[in-house]
């Protein structure tokens, strides 16, 4: 087994094609999660244009690519998943039956530790380092939107009935409801980012778009198009006015939901929920198997989901002082956050406090 480590710009066209081919066949070989767009070469290369230290390990057997491992590396040998903090799927993309030794891989990559927070299923050599697993809800539409909607009516009849009624009411009150699945106007992307930033501030969360690299990454991915991969901006209009939008990434079979937001002036119509149903309908017509709603406790995800997959967080380490120091710094923070998020009696008051801080911050601006 031969392991070569490359900068994003050094990856050959042949290697990129081999990587894409592994993803396109993943569902046929029992590993559909490997087709997630966050595991695609396009995402790794886009992050590489916005962040330092992005590298791609290519593992070859008999001269042919058998696996691809994108990561970010610091000067001290601390490794992180590519786009850690915004990436919703992480791991090694590999051919069927491929096995690897995590310690050997880290050594070849010059890493003392590799940290992840959305490790996909089926990554046993890395999973040994997982500290916790979390549900990531999905919306299955591979049998068509009508089948999905029947499931939704059965699973959450009141939710479905109310959401569809609000869509009809929106049309009566604000003008014809129109949906564009793949909006190509960059101005609409800026509108979405503005809505999302305001939502982060309003709820007391850190504004991701205040980080220049995240804003640049989203804009780059909006303009990224290849045969299996695209950044998809979906917009819900009432009359001529946009009222909800979502930016996500797609491959042949998976639409990864990423940044949804709406105009709060229309909140009573639940435009975000209406948007997700329209997205599901369009995705089904486009051959998508499922929409990945991403890790995180949200009531709307529980209502829309058909099932859950599992992602894990943790780190893989070598016996190295840098790894010991990194774990000592990161473990308490992760443990505290996960405890709060997993216990309703802690999460609810913490959430209320964040929203109160958000309102005060907005009032003082």
């Amino acid at each position: 087994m031969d392991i070569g480590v490359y900068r994003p710009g050094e990856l050959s066209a042949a290697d990129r094609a081999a990587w894409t081919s592994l993803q396109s066949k993943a569902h046929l070989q029992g590993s559909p999660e490997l087709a997630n767009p966050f595991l695609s070469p396009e995402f790794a290369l886009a992050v590489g244009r916005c962040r330092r230290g992005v590298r791609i390990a290519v593992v070859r057997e008999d001269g042919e690519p058998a696996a691809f491992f994108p990561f970010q590396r610091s000067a001290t040998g601390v490794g992180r998943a590519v786009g850690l903090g915004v990436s919703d799927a992480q791991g090694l993309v590999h051919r069927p039956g491929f096995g690897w030794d995590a310690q050997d891989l880290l050594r070849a990559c010059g890493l003392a530790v590799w940290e992840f927070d959305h490790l996909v299923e089926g990554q046993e050599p890395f999973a040994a380092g997982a500290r916790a697993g979390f549900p990531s809800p999905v919306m299955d539409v591979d049998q068509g939107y009508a089948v999905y909607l029947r499931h939704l009516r059965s699973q959450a009849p009141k939710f479905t009935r109310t959401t569809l009624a609000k869509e009809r009411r929106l049309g009566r009150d604000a003008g014809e409801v129109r949906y564009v699945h793949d909006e190509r106007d960059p101005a609409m992307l800026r509108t979405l980012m503005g809505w999302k930033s305001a939502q982060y501030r309003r709820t007391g969360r850190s504004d991701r778009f205040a980080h220049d690299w995240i804003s640049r990454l989203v804009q780059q991915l909006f303009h990224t198009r290849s045969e299996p991969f695209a950044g998809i901006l979906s917009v819900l209009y009432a009359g001529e006015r946009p009222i909800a939008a979502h930016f996500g990434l797609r491959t042949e079979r998976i639409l990864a939901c990423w940044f949804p937001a709406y105009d709060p002036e229309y909140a009573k119509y639940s435009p975000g929920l209406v948007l997700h149903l329209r997205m599901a309908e369009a995705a089904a017509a486009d051959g998508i198997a499922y929409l990945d709603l991403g890790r995180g406790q949200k009531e709307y995800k529980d209502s829309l989901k058909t099932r859950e997959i599992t992602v894990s967080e943790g780190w893989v380490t070598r016996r190295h002082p840098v790894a010991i120091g990194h774990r000592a710094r990161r473990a308490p923070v992760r443990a505290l956050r996960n405890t709060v998020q997993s216990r309703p009696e802690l999460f609810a008051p913490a959430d209320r406090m964040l929203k109160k801080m958000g309102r005060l911050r907005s009032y003082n601006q």
Side-chain angles (χ1 to χ4, degrees):
M1 185 168 64
D2 173 56
I3 303 175
V5 179
Y6 304 88
R7 297 175 184 272
E10 297 170 344
L11 197 66
S12 70
D15 281 343
R16 285 185 60 178
W19 187 344
T20 298
S21 178
L22 289 177
Q23 286 196 289
S24 68
K25 298 174 183 175
H27 70 287
L28 300 173
Q29 297 159 347
S31 302
E33 64 282 344
L34 294 183
N36 193 290
F38 288 107
L39 288 172
S40 68
E42 290 86 354
F43 182 74
L45 283 127
V47 176
R49 288 189 286 269
C50 300
R51 300 286 276 172
R52 295 180 179 178
V54 173
R55 300 291 185 271
I56 298 162
V58 182
V59 186
R60 304 182 195 277
E61 291 181 331
D62 299 324
E64 296 297 322
F68 296 86
F69 176 55
F71 61 94
Q72 290 178 240
R73 181 177 66 193
S74 74
T76 59
V78 172
R80 294 180 173 85
V82 165
L84 188 74
V86 296
S87 165
D88 286 349
Q90 299 149 6
L92 180 143
V93 178
H94 58 87
R95 66 169 56 155
F98 177 78
W100 70 96
D101 182 280
Q103 298 290 314
D104 289 345
L105 181 61
L106 262 60
R107 189 175 296 108
C109 295
L111 300 178
V113 57
W114 181 64
E115 183 178 359
F116 52 86
D117 62 3
H118 285 76
L119 183 71
V120 298
E121 296 174 317
Q123 303 268 310
E124 280 74 15
F126 290 151
R131 296 296 178 267
F134 302 90
S136 185
V138 304
M139 302 164 63
D140 290 296
V141 295
D142 55 325
Q143 297 181 53
Y145 179 69
V147 173
Y148 168 74
L149 195 58
R150 282 201 299 271
H151 172 88
L152 202 62
R153 290 184 192 276
S154 173
Q155 172 184 275
K158 183 179 178 181
F159 166 83
T160 309
R161 187 169 58 251
T162 301
T163 302
L164 294 176
K166 286 182 176 180
E167 179 178 2
R168 292 191 295 270
R169 186 170 140 212
L170 172 63
R172 291 193 300 268
D173 294 350
E176 180 185 1
V177 177
R178 180 170 58 91
Y179 172 74
V180 178
H181 187 59
D182 188 10
E183 174 65 77
R184 301 309 301 156
D185 184 357
M188 191 58 238
L189 180 65
R190 293 191 292 272
T191 297
L192 168 61
M193 294 166 71
W195 285 343
K196 197 66 181 177
S197 289
Q199 178 190 334
Y200 286 136
R201 294 192 299 270
R202 191 168 60 248
T203 56
R205 269 66 175 182
S206 173
D207 180 6
R208 288 184 173 181
F209 292 121
H211 300 277
D212 179 66
W213 76 270
I214 296 179
S215 293
R216 288 189 290 117
L217 175 64
V218 168
Q219 290 169 24
Q220 283 199 26
L221 289 167
F222 173 73
H223 292 290
T224 299
R225 297 263 150 162
S226 65
E227 183 63 31
F229 180 97
I232 300 293
L233 174 64
S234 302
V235 185
L236 188 73
Y237 294 88
E240 295 303 313
R241 182 169 180 174
I243 62 169
H246 167 269
F247 181 72
L249 307 176
R250 70 152 293 172
T251 49
E252 288 180 86
R253 294 179 54 81
I254 299 175
L255 174 59
C257 300
W258 204 11
F259 291 110
Y262 60 85
D263 184 341
E265 183 178 334
Y266 292 84
K268 67 180 181 180
Y269 301 102
S270 299
L273 296 176
V274 175
L275 173 69
H276 275 80
L277 291 182
R278 291 292 190 101
M279 285 166 53
E281 183 176 22
D286 208 21
I288 293 291
Y290 67 84
L291 289 75
D292 187 343
L293 295 171
R295 168 187 165 183
Q297 291 181 312
K298 298 288 184 182
E299 186 176 349
Y300 81 91
K301 294 182 182 182
D302 286 337
S303 299
L304 291 167
K305 72 182 181 184
T306 53
R307 61 184 172 94
E308 294 173 343
I309 55 180
T310 301
V311 295
S312 304
E313 72 171 37
W315 39 77
V316 183
T317 62
R318 291 167 53 206
R319 294 175 63 87
H320 194 286
V322 169
I324 296 171
H326 184 75
R327 286 185 59 179
R329 288 192 304 273
R330 296 288 288 163
V333 176
R334 284 196 176 277
L336 177 60
R337 186 199 64 201
N338 292 334
T339 297
V340 171
Q341 291 182 341
S342 64
R343 296 175 60 180
E345 71 273 19
L346 297 178
F347 180 79
D351 188 55
R352 286 195 298 270
M353 182 179 295
L354 283 172
K355 289 178 179 177
K356 182 177 180 180
M357 291 173 61
R359 287 194 297 270
L360 289 172
R361 184 167 59 184
S362 299
Y363 177 78
N364 291 325
Q365 284 181 345

